[in-house]
Amino acid sequence: MPAIIHSGMPFAKVLYLGMTALAGILAVVLVTLHTGCSIDDCIGASLEAYRIWYWLVAIPGLCIVSASLGYVSPRKAWIWGLAPLVAQWLWEVLGSTTVGTGNLGPFAHVVALAAYALSAIPGVIAAEIAAYLSRRKGTAV
């Protein structure tokens, strides 16, 4: 098993990328299930609950995943911070019934992508710090 997870292998990078994407989608799904609303149909207090759970639980959890993978695979560690949020954006684009149907049309997807890109900054920072520590310690493979 350790030979399969060796970070120098291309298969491991694909496995890590899939894990981070799945973690991003799982975070959104769990927040949606916990608050009872999605970002598409929340109003008032439900929207606030969604935002609180997303920013105080989901984003720190994704930072932990990103930092873990940044430590294990420090080369281009920024990918581990960006991948979960890109997966969330794709999840929203493919599953959304309201984004892109209003006056903005497909431009709404670009705005949502920009919002997710900004949300990825904490994960990218966490992954890069972990990658730096891994390289400094000499445990990087």
Side-chain angles (χ1 to χ4, degrees):
M1 185 71 176
I4 293 174
I5 308 250
H6 186 270
S7 65
M9 297 175 56
F11 176 74
K13 300 283 184 179
V14 172
L15 181 67
Y16 294 159
L17 191 61
M19 286 181 356
T20 57
L22 185 63
I25 292 170
L26 186 63
V28 167
V29 169
L30 289 176
V31 169
T32 300
L33 289 175
H34 183 73
T35 59
C37 67
S38 69
I39 198 67
D40 287 339
D41 62 359
C42 282
I43 55 171
S46 297
L47 181 60
E48 282 302 312
Y50 184 90
R51 288 179 181 163
I52 288 171
W53 277 95
Y54 183 77
W55 282 103
L56 295 180
V57 177
I59 292 294
L62 293 176
C63 286
I64 291 170
V65 170
S66 299
S68 300
L69 289 172
Y71 190 82
V72 172
S73 180
R75 190 155 189 239
K76 297 183 182 178
W78 59 269
I79 292 172
W80 311 130
L82 188 63
L85 282 296
V86 170
Q88 288 179 3
W89 175 71
L90 286 173
W91 183 263
E92 180 181 320
V93 167
L94 297 176
S96 175
T97 57
T98 59
V99 174
T101 58
N103 293 338
L104 293 176
F107 183 69
H109 295 300
V110 176
V111 172
L113 177 62
Y116 279 113
L118 290 173
S119 300
I121 292 172
V124 170
I125 291 171
E128 287 294 336
I129 289 172
Y132 171 76
L133 294 174
S134 175
R135 287 189 291 265
R136 186 171 178 169
K137 188 174 180 183
T139 60
V141 182

